Amino acid sequence: MEKDTRDKLIEAGEKLFSARGLAGVSIRELSQEAGANSALISYHFGGKESLYSAILEKQFSPIGILLDSVSGIKASPTEKIIKYAQGVTMVHGKMPFFTKFLMGEIISPSRFFEPLIQKYIHRVYGFLTNTIREGIDCGEFRKDMDVNAAALALAGMLNFYFISRPISRRFVPDGTVQGENFVVQAVEIFLSGVKECGDK
């Protein structure tokens, strides 16, 4: 089935915005990439910035779906962290432009980044800190660690592979380290550090 114009504009925007950011892409370039009249950007989205906002929402919304899923399960803190880590791998796999948009907004934030932080990133941080606190309260995790530092460390470990791929490929050219394997080992290392001695 042929894609409609709206989908073509989103795909064109994903490709161009992820490479050059919001300011680095013109309406003409977007319309040429999509094979559509430039007036259709305003018709479907109200303008270039609204198209960019819609694309950001598409990129980040799977994080919200993941959080809804793992927050609602009846599981131990360890199991929740493992499920979340597996979900992060799936998000990166299904959304190939996600990492570029995330890094682009961190380095040079647009006016749309703050709402994204509140809607998605803040929720990630809340989920991780709450899960770690739950683990401490039930005796599963060590009581002497800094919850905030542990949450930031885990988030960094889970996303590092995907962020660093352009560089890591130079060191591991044969592709022996895959995203899923990296995340599994990263979670194991994290849990080895936070668990009470008797639970390791």
Side-chain angles (χ1 to χ4, degrees), residues 126-186:
F127 167 77
L128 293 178
T129 53
N130 289 339
T131 303
I132 292 168
R133 285 195 186 97
E134 181 185 345
I136 293 172
D137 292 341
C138 73
E140 195 170 315
F141 297 161
R142 290 166 34 202
K143 292 180 171 58
D144 62 342
M145 66 176 170
D146 185 312
V147 172
N148 296 312
L152 291 173
L154 178 56
M157 292 171 76
L158 293 179
N159 288 287
F160 177 78
Y161 169 82
F162 304 99
I163 292 171
S164 67
R165 269 187 297 188
I167 298 174
S168 63
R169 286 183 180 133
R170 297 171 181 264
F171 304 105
V172 194
D174 58 358
T176 54
V177 179
Q178 300 296 326
E180 187 174 351
N181 294 335
F182 175 88
V183 168
V184 168
Q185 291 191 45

Short mmCIF file of all heavy atoms in Angstrom, two decimals, residues 126-186:
data_model
loop_
_atom_site.label_atom_id
_atom_site.label_comp_id
_atom_site.label_asym_id
_atom_site.label_seq_id
_atom_site.Cartn_x
_atom_site.Cartn_y
_atom_site.Cartn_z
N GLY A 126 11.94 8.86 37.30
CA GLY A 126 11.06 8.50 38.41
C GLY A 126 10.90 7.00 38.55
O GLY A 126 10.92 6.46 39.66
N PHE A 127 10.74 6.31 37.43
CA PHE A 127 10.61 4.85 37.47
C PHE A 127 11.86 4.21 38.05
O PHE A 127 11.77 3.32 38.92
CB PHE A 127 10.34 4.29 36.07
CG PHE A 127 10.50 2.80 35.98
CD1 PHE A 127 9.52 1.95 36.47
CD2 PHE A 127 11.65 2.25 35.42
CE1 PHE A 127 9.68 0.57 36.40
CE2 PHE A 127 11.82 0.88 35.35
CZ PHE A 127 10.83 0.03 35.84
N LEU A 128 13.02 4.64 37.59
CA LEU A 128 14.27 4.03 38.06
C LEU A 128 14.50 4.30 39.54
O LEU A 128 14.85 3.39 40.30
CB LEU A 128 15.44 4.53 37.22
CG LEU A 128 15.45 4.10 35.75
CD1 LEU A 128 16.64 4.71 35.02
CD2 LEU A 128 15.47 2.59 35.62
N THR A 129 14.32 5.55 39.97
CA THR A 129 14.55 5.85 41.39
C THR A 129 13.53 5.14 42.28
O THR A 129 13.89 4.61 43.34
CB THR A 129 14.49 7.37 41.65
OG1 THR A 129 13.26 7.91 41.13
CG2 THR A 129 15.66 8.08 41.01
N ASN A 130 12.28 5.09 41.86
CA ASN A 130 11.26 4.40 42.66
C ASN A 130 11.54 2.90 42.75
O ASN A 130 11.36 2.29 43.81
CB ASN A 130 9.87 4.62 42.05
CG ASN A 130 9.37 6.04 42.24
OD1 ASN A 130 9.84 6.76 43.13
ND2 ASN A 130 8.43 6.45 41.41
N THR A 131 11.99 2.31 41.65
CA THR A 131 12.27 0.87 41.64
C THR A 131 13.48 0.56 42.52
O THR A 131 13.49 -0.44 43.25
CB THR A 131 12.53 0.38 40.20
OG1 THR A 131 11.39 0.69 39.39
CG2 THR A 131 12.77 -1.12 40.17
N ILE A 132 14.49 1.42 42.46
CA ILE A 132 15.67 1.21 43.30
C ILE A 132 15.32 1.39 44.77
O ILE A 132 15.74 0.60 45.63
CB ILE A 132 16.80 2.16 42.87
CG1 ILE A 132 17.31 1.77 41.48
CG2 ILE A 132 17.95 2.13 43.88
CD1 ILE A 132 18.22 2.79 40.83
N ARG A 133 14.52 2.40 45.08
CA ARG A 133 14.07 2.59 46.48
C ARG A 133 13.26 1.39 46.96
O ARG A 133 13.39 0.95 48.11
CB ARG A 133 13.23 3.86 46.60
CG ARG A 133 14.02 5.14 46.56
CD ARG A 133 13.19 6.33 47.04
NE ARG A 133 13.92 7.57 46.85
CZ ARG A 133 13.76 8.38 45.81
NH1 ARG A 133 12.89 8.06 44.86
NH2 ARG A 133 14.46 9.49 45.70
N GLU A 134 12.42 0.88 46.08
CA GLU A 134 11.63 -0.31 46.42
C GLU A 134 12.55 -1.48 46.75
O GLU A 134 12.31 -2.25 47.69
CB GLU A 134 10.72 -0.66 45.25
CG GLU A 134 9.82 -1.86 45.49
CD GLU A 134 9.02 -2.26 44.25
OE1 GLU A 134 8.94 -1.44 43.30
OE2 GLU A 134 8.50 -3.39 44.23
N GLY A 135 13.61 -1.62 45.95
CA GLY A 135 14.58 -2.69 46.20
C GLY A 135 15.30 -2.53 47.53
O GLY A 135 15.57 -3.51 48.23
N ILE A 136 15.60 -1.29 47.89
CA ILE A 136 16.24 -1.02 49.18
C ILE A 136 15.28 -1.33 50.32
O ILE A 136 15.64 -2.00 51.30
CB ILE A 136 16.71 0.44 49.25
CG1 ILE A 136 17.84 0.69 48.25
CG2 ILE A 136 17.16 0.80 50.67
CD1 ILE A 136 18.24 2.14 48.11
N ASP A 137 14.04 -0.88 50.18
CA ASP A 137 13.05 -1.06 51.25
C ASP A 137 12.73 -2.53 51.52
O ASP A 137 12.47 -2.91 52.67
CB ASP A 137 11.76 -0.32 50.90
CG ASP A 137 11.92 1.20 50.92
OD1 ASP A 137 12.90 1.68 51.53
OD2 ASP A 137 11.08 1.89 50.32
N CYS A 138 12.75 -3.34 50.47
CA CYS A 138 12.42 -4.76 50.66
C CYS A 138 13.66 -5.60 50.96
O CYS A 138 13.56 -6.83 51.11
CB CYS A 138 11.68 -5.31 49.45
SG CYS A 138 12.70 -5.56 47.98
N GLY A 139 14.83 -4.96 51.05
CA GLY A 139 16.04 -5.68 51.40
C GLY A 139 16.74 -6.35 50.23
O GLY A 139 17.71 -7.09 50.41
N GLU A 140 16.26 -6.08 49.02
CA GLU A 140 16.85 -6.69 47.83
C GLU A 140 18.13 -5.96 47.40
O GLU A 140 19.06 -6.58 46.90
CB GLU A 140 15.83 -6.67 46.70
CG GLU A 140 16.14 -7.58 45.53
CD GLU A 140 14.97 -7.70 44.57
OE1 GLU A 140 13.83 -7.88 45.04
OE2 GLU A 140 15.21 -7.61 43.36
N PHE A 141 18.14 -4.63 47.60
CA PHE A 141 19.29 -3.82 47.22
C PHE A 141 19.96 -3.24 48.46
O PHE A 141 19.34 -3.11 49.53
CB PHE A 141 18.87 -2.66 46.31
CG PHE A 141 18.29 -3.08 44.98
CD1 PHE A 141 17.52 -2.20 44.24
CD2 PHE A 141 18.50 -4.35 44.47
CE1 PHE A 141 16.98 -2.56 43.02
CE2 PHE A 141 17.96 -4.74 43.25
CZ PHE A 141 17.20 -3.84 42.53
N ARG A 142 21.21 -2.87 48.30
CA ARG A 142 21.99 -2.29 49.39
C ARG A 142 21.37 -0.99 49.89
O ARG A 142 20.84 -0.20 49.12
CB ARG A 142 23.41 -1.99 48.90
CG ARG A 142 24.26 -3.20 48.64
CD ARG A 142 25.51 -2.83 47.85
NE ARG A 142 26.01 -1.50 48.18
CZ ARG A 142 26.79 -0.79 47.36
NH1 ARG A 142 27.11 -1.27 46.17
NH2 ARG A 142 27.23 0.39 47.73
N LYS A 143 21.49 -0.77 51.19
CA LYS A 143 20.93 0.44 51.80
C LYS A 143 21.90 1.61 51.79
O LYS A 143 21.52 2.74 52.08
CB LYS A 143 20.50 0.15 53.24
CG LYS A 143 19.31 -0.80 53.36
CD LYS A 143 18.94 -1.04 54.80
CE LYS A 143 17.62 -1.80 54.93
NZ LYS A 143 17.65 -3.10 54.24
N ASP A 144 23.17 1.36 51.46
CA ASP A 144 24.19 2.40 51.59
C ASP A 144 24.47 3.14 50.28
O ASP A 144 25.43 3.89 50.19
CB ASP A 144 25.49 1.79 52.10
CG ASP A 144 26.08 0.75 51.14
OD1 ASP A 144 25.32 0.25 50.27
OD2 ASP A 144 27.27 0.44 51.26
N MET A 145 23.64 2.94 49.27
CA MET A 145 23.93 3.61 47.99
C MET A 145 23.06 4.84 47.79
O MET A 145 21.99 4.98 48.40
CB MET A 145 23.75 2.64 46.82
CG MET A 145 22.35 2.17 46.60
SD MET A 145 22.26 1.14 45.12
CE MET A 145 20.60 0.49 45.29
N ASP A 146 23.52 5.71 46.93
CA ASP A 146 22.79 6.92 46.56
C ASP A 146 21.80 6.55 45.45
O ASP A 146 22.20 6.16 44.36
CB ASP A 146 23.78 7.98 46.07
CG ASP A 146 23.11 9.31 45.77
OD1 ASP A 146 22.08 9.32 45.07
OD2 ASP A 146 23.63 10.35 46.23
N VAL A 147 20.52 6.67 45.74
CA VAL A 147 19.48 6.26 44.79
C VAL A 147 19.57 7.05 43.49
O VAL A 147 19.46 6.49 42.39
CB VAL A 147 18.08 6.43 45.41
CG1 VAL A 147 16.98 6.21 44.37
CG2 VAL A 147 17.90 5.47 46.57
N ASN A 148 19.78 8.36 43.59
CA ASN A 148 19.85 9.20 42.40
C ASN A 148 21.05 8.83 41.52
O ASN A 148 20.94 8.73 40.29
CB ASN A 148 19.93 10.67 42.79
CG ASN A 148 18.67 11.14 43.50
OD1 ASN A 148 17.57 10.89 43.04
ND2 ASN A 148 18.83 11.81 44.63
N ALA A 149 22.19 8.62 42.16
CA ALA A 149 23.39 8.24 41.41
C ALA A 149 23.20 6.88 40.75
O ALA A 149 23.63 6.67 39.60
CB ALA A 149 24.60 8.23 42.33
N ALA A 150 22.57 5.96 41.46
CA ALA A 150 22.34 4.62 40.91
C ALA A 150 21.41 4.68 39.70
O ALA A 150 21.64 3.99 38.69
CB ALA A 150 21.75 3.71 41.98
N ALA A 151 20.37 5.50 39.77
CA ALA A 151 19.43 5.63 38.65
C ALA A 151 20.12 6.23 37.43
O ALA A 151 19.94 5.75 36.30
CB ALA A 151 18.24 6.50 39.06
N LEU A 152 20.93 7.26 37.64
CA LEU A 152 21.65 7.87 36.53
C LEU A 152 22.67 6.90 35.93
O LEU A 152 22.84 6.85 34.71
CB LEU A 152 22.36 9.14 37.01
CG LEU A 152 21.45 10.32 37.37
CD1 LEU A 152 22.27 11.45 38.00
CD2 LEU A 152 20.71 10.83 36.14
N ALA A 153 23.33 6.13 36.79
CA ALA A 153 24.30 5.15 36.31
C ALA A 153 23.63 4.09 35.45
O ALA A 153 24.13 3.73 34.38
CB ALA A 153 25.01 4.50 37.50
N LEU A 154 22.48 3.60 35.90
CA LEU A 154 21.77 2.57 35.14
C LEU A 154 21.30 3.12 33.80
O LEU A 154 21.46 2.46 32.76
CB LEU A 154 20.58 2.05 35.95
CG LEU A 154 19.71 1.00 35.25
CD1 LEU A 154 20.55 -0.20 34.81
CD2 LEU A 154 18.58 0.55 36.16
N ALA A 155 20.72 4.31 33.80
CA ALA A 155 20.26 4.92 32.54
C ALA A 155 21.42 5.09 31.57
O ALA A 155 21.29 4.82 30.37
CB ALA A 155 19.59 6.26 32.82
N GLY A 156 22.55 5.53 32.09
CA GLY A 156 23.72 5.71 31.23
C GLY A 156 24.24 4.41 30.68
O GLY A 156 24.59 4.31 29.49
N MET A 157 24.28 3.38 31.52
CA MET A 157 24.76 2.08 31.07
C MET A 157 23.88 1.50 29.97
O MET A 157 24.37 0.94 28.99
CB MET A 157 24.82 1.11 32.26
CG MET A 157 25.87 1.45 33.29
SD MET A 157 25.73 0.46 34.80
CE MET A 157 26.39 -1.11 34.24
N LEU A 158 22.57 1.64 30.13
CA LEU A 158 21.64 1.05 29.16
C LEU A 158 21.72 1.72 27.80
O LEU A 158 21.55 1.08 26.77
CB LEU A 158 20.21 1.12 29.69
CG LEU A 158 19.91 0.28 30.93
CD1 LEU A 158 18.46 0.47 31.36
CD2 LEU A 158 20.19 -1.20 30.66
N ASN A 159 21.96 3.03 27.80
CA ASN A 159 21.95 3.77 26.53
C ASN A 159 23.33 3.94 25.91
O ASN A 159 23.43 4.34 24.75
CB ASN A 159 21.31 5.15 26.74
CG ASN A 159 19.82 5.06 26.96
OD1 ASN A 159 19.06 4.80 26.03
ND2 ASN A 159 19.39 5.24 28.19
N PHE A 160 24.38 3.63 26.67
CA PHE A 160 25.73 3.91 26.19
C PHE A 160 26.04 3.19 24.88
O PHE A 160 26.60 3.77 23.95
CB PHE A 160 26.77 3.52 27.25
CG PHE A 160 28.18 3.70 26.77
CD1 PHE A 160 28.75 4.96 26.75
CD2 PHE A 160 28.93 2.62 26.33
CE1 PHE A 160 30.05 5.15 26.29
CE2 PHE A 160 30.22 2.79 25.86
CZ PHE A 160 30.79 4.06 25.85
N TYR A 161 25.68 1.92 24.79
CA TYR A 161 26.00 1.15 23.58
C TYR A 161 25.42 1.82 22.34
O TYR A 161 26.10 1.96 21.32
CB TYR A 161 25.46 -0.27 23.71
CG TYR A 161 25.50 -1.04 22.41
CD1 TYR A 161 26.68 -1.66 21.99
CD2 TYR A 161 24.38 -1.13 21.59
CE1 TYR A 161 26.73 -2.35 20.79
CE2 TYR A 161 24.42 -1.82 20.39
CZ TYR A 161 25.60 -2.43 20.00
OH TYR A 161 25.65 -3.10 18.80
N PHE A 162 24.18 2.25 22.43
CA PHE A 162 23.49 2.80 21.26
C PHE A 162 24.04 4.19 20.91
O PHE A 162 24.15 4.53 19.74
CB PHE A 162 21.99 2.85 21.53
CG PHE A 162 21.42 1.52 21.91
CD1 PHE A 162 21.21 1.18 23.24
CD2 PHE A 162 21.15 0.57 20.93
CE1 PHE A 162 20.70 -0.06 23.58
CE2 PHE A 162 20.65 -0.68 21.27
CZ PHE A 162 20.43 -0.99 22.60
N ILE A 163 24.39 4.96 21.93
CA ILE A 163 24.95 6.29 21.69
C ILE A 163 26.36 6.19 21.10
O ILE A 163 26.74 6.98 20.24
CB ILE A 163 24.97 7.10 23.00
CG1 ILE A 163 23.53 7.42 23.44
CG2 ILE A 163 25.78 8.39 22.85
CD1 ILE A 163 23.43 8.03 24.82
N SER A 164 27.11 5.20 21.56
CA SER A 164 28.53 5.11 21.18
C SER A 164 28.78 4.24 19.96
O SER A 164 29.93 4.04 19.58
CB SER A 164 29.35 4.56 22.35
OG SER A 164 29.00 3.21 22.62
N ARG A 165 27.74 3.72 19.32
CA ARG A 165 27.95 2.80 18.20
C ARG A 165 28.86 3.34 17.09
O ARG A 165 29.69 2.60 16.57
CB ARG A 165 26.60 2.36 17.61
CG ARG A 165 26.08 1.09 18.25
CD ARG A 165 24.85 0.57 17.56
NE ARG A 165 23.74 1.49 17.66
CZ ARG A 165 22.50 1.20 17.28
NH1 ARG A 165 22.24 0.02 16.75
NH2 ARG A 165 21.53 2.08 17.40
N PRO A 166 28.73 4.62 16.71
CA PRO A 166 29.63 5.10 15.65
C PRO A 166 31.11 4.97 16.01
O PRO A 166 31.96 4.82 15.13
CB PRO A 166 29.23 6.57 15.49
CG PRO A 166 27.81 6.61 15.95
CD PRO A 166 27.74 5.64 17.09
N ILE A 167 31.41 5.04 17.32
CA ILE A 167 32.80 4.90 17.77
C ILE A 167 33.14 3.45 18.06
O ILE A 167 34.20 2.95 17.66
CB ILE A 167 33.05 5.77 19.02
CG1 ILE A 167 32.83 7.24 18.70
CG2 ILE A 167 34.45 5.53 19.58
CD1 ILE A 167 32.91 8.15 19.89
N SER A 168 32.23 2.75 18.75
CA SER A 168 32.53 1.38 19.18
C SER A 168 32.74 0.44 18.00
O SER A 168 33.47 -0.55 18.11
CB SER A 168 31.42 0.84 20.08
OG SER A 168 30.19 0.77 19.39
N ARG A 169 32.13 0.74 16.86
CA ARG A 169 32.32 -0.10 15.68
C ARG A 169 33.78 -0.13 15.24
O ARG A 169 34.23 -1.08 14.60
CB ARG A 169 31.45 0.40 14.53
CG ARG A 169 29.97 0.08 14.71
CD ARG A 169 29.17 0.53 13.51
NE ARG A 169 27.76 0.23 13.68
CZ ARG A 169 26.79 1.09 13.44
NH1 ARG A 169 27.07 2.31 13.01
NH2 ARG A 169 25.52 0.75 13.60
N ARG A 170 34.52 0.93 15.57
CA ARG A 170 35.94 0.98 15.21
C ARG A 170 36.75 -0.01 16.04
O ARG A 170 37.78 -0.51 15.60
CB ARG A 170 36.49 2.39 15.43
CG ARG A 170 35.85 3.45 14.54
CD ARG A 170 36.30 4.84 14.96
NE ARG A 170 35.69 5.86 14.13
CZ ARG A 170 36.27 6.41 13.07
NH1 ARG A 170 37.48 6.02 12.72
NH2 ARG A 170 35.66 7.34 12.37
N PHE A 171 36.27 -0.28 17.27
CA PHE A 171 37.00 -1.17 18.16
C PHE A 171 36.50 -2.61 18.06
O PHE A 171 37.25 -3.54 18.35
CB PHE A 171 36.88 -0.69 19.61
CG PHE A 171 37.35 0.72 19.80
CD1 PHE A 171 36.44 1.75 19.99
CD2 PHE A 171 38.69 1.03 19.78
CE1 PHE A 171 36.87 3.06 20.16
CE2 PHE A 171 39.14 2.34 19.94
CZ PHE A 171 38.23 3.35 20.13
N VAL A 172 35.23 -2.77 17.70
CA VAL A 172 34.66 -4.11 17.58
C VAL A 172 34.07 -4.24 16.17
O VAL A 172 32.86 -4.30 15.99
CB VAL A 172 33.57 -4.35 18.64
CG1 VAL A 172 33.23 -5.84 18.72
CG2 VAL A 172 33.99 -3.83 20.00
N PRO A 173 34.93 -4.29 15.16
CA PRO A 173 34.45 -4.26 13.77
C PRO A 173 33.70 -5.50 13.32
O PRO A 173 32.96 -5.47 12.36
CB PRO A 173 35.74 -4.10 12.96
CG PRO A 173 36.81 -4.68 13.83
CD PRO A 173 36.38 -4.36 15.24
N ASP A 174 33.89 -6.61 14.03
CA ASP A 174 33.25 -7.84 13.59
C ASP A 174 31.82 -7.99 14.09
O ASP A 174 31.15 -8.97 13.82
CB ASP A 174 34.07 -9.07 14.02
CG ASP A 174 34.27 -9.13 15.53
OD1 ASP A 174 33.80 -8.21 16.23
OD2 ASP A 174 34.88 -10.10 16.00
N GLY A 175 31.34 -7.00 14.84
CA GLY A 175 29.96 -7.03 15.30
C GLY A 175 29.67 -8.06 16.37
O GLY A 175 28.53 -8.48 16.55
N THR A 176 30.71 -8.48 17.12
CA THR A 176 30.49 -9.50 18.15
C THR A 176 29.69 -8.96 19.33
O THR A 176 29.05 -9.73 20.04
CB THR A 176 31.84 -10.03 18.67
OG1 THR A 176 32.64 -8.93 19.11
CG2 THR A 176 32.57 -10.79 17.57
N VAL A 177 29.73 -7.66 19.55
CA VAL A 177 28.95 -7.05 20.63
C VAL A 177 27.66 -6.49 20.03
O VAL A 177 27.68 -5.54 19.26
CB VAL A 177 29.74 -5.93 21.33
CG1 VAL A 177 28.88 -5.30 22.43
CG2 VAL A 177 31.03 -6.48 21.92
N GLN A 178 26.55 -7.10 20.37
CA GLN A 178 25.25 -6.65 19.90
C GLN A 178 24.51 -5.93 21.03
O GLN A 178 24.80 -6.14 22.20
CB GLN A 178 24.42 -7.84 19.40
CG GLN A 178 25.07 -8.60 18.25
CD GLN A 178 25.22 -7.76 17.00
OE1 GLN A 178 24.38 -6.92 16.71
NE2 GLN A 178 26.29 -7.98 16.24
N GLY A 179 23.53 -5.12 20.65
CA GLY A 179 22.82 -4.32 21.63
C GLY A 179 22.21 -5.13 22.75
O GLY A 179 22.36 -4.81 23.93
N GLU A 180 21.54 -6.22 22.39
CA GLU A 180 20.87 -7.04 23.41
C GLU A 180 21.89 -7.65 24.36
O GLU A 180 21.68 -7.67 25.58
CB GLU A 180 20.05 -8.13 22.73
CG GLU A 180 19.19 -8.92 23.70
CD GLU A 180 18.27 -9.90 23.00
OE1 GLU A 180 18.17 -9.83 21.75
OE2 GLU A 180 17.66 -10.71 23.69
N ASN A 181 22.99 -8.17 23.82
CA ASN A 181 24.02 -8.77 24.67
C ASN A 181 24.66 -7.74 25.59
O ASN A 181 24.93 -8.02 26.76
CB ASN A 181 25.11 -9.43 23.80
CG ASN A 181 24.58 -10.62 23.02
OD1 ASN A 181 23.62 -11.25 23.43
ND2 ASN A 181 25.22 -10.92 21.91
N PHE A 182 24.91 -6.55 25.03
CA PHE A 182 25.51 -5.49 25.85
C PHE A 182 24.59 -5.13 27.01
O PHE A 182 25.04 -5.01 28.15
CB PHE A 182 25.78 -4.25 25.00
CG PHE A 182 26.28 -3.08 25.82
CD1 PHE A 182 27.63 -2.92 26.07
CD2 PHE A 182 25.38 -2.16 26.36
CE1 PHE A 182 28.08 -1.86 26.85
CE2 PHE A 182 25.82 -1.10 27.13
CZ PHE A 182 27.18 -0.95 27.37
N VAL A 183 23.30 -4.94 26.73
CA VAL A 183 22.36 -4.54 27.77
C VAL A 183 22.24 -5.61 28.85
O VAL A 183 22.19 -5.30 30.04
CB VAL A 183 20.98 -4.21 27.15
CG1 VAL A 183 19.92 -4.09 28.23
CG2 VAL A 183 21.07 -2.92 26.35
N VAL A 184 22.21 -6.88 28.44
CA VAL A 184 22.15 -7.97 29.42
C VAL A 184 23.34 -7.91 30.37
O VAL A 184 23.19 -8.00 31.59
CB VAL A 184 22.10 -9.34 28.71
CG1 VAL A 184 22.33 -10.48 29.70
CG2 VAL A 184 20.76 -9.53 28.02
N GLN A 185 24.53 -7.74 29.80
CA GLN A 185 25.73 -7.69 30.64
C GLN A 185 25.76 -6.42 31.49
O GLN A 185 26.18 -6.46 32.65
CB GLN A 185 26.98 -7.77 29.77
CG GLN A 185 27.16 -9.14 29.13
CD GLN A 185 28.53 -9.31 28.49
OE1 GLN A 185 29.55 -8.96 29.08
NE2 GLN A 185 28.56 -9.83 27.28
N ALA A 186 25.31 -5.31 30.93
CA ALA A 186 25.29 -4.06 31.68
C ALA A 186 24.37 -4.18 32.89
O ALA A 186 24.71 -3.73 34.00
CB ALA A 186 24.83 -2.91 30.79
#
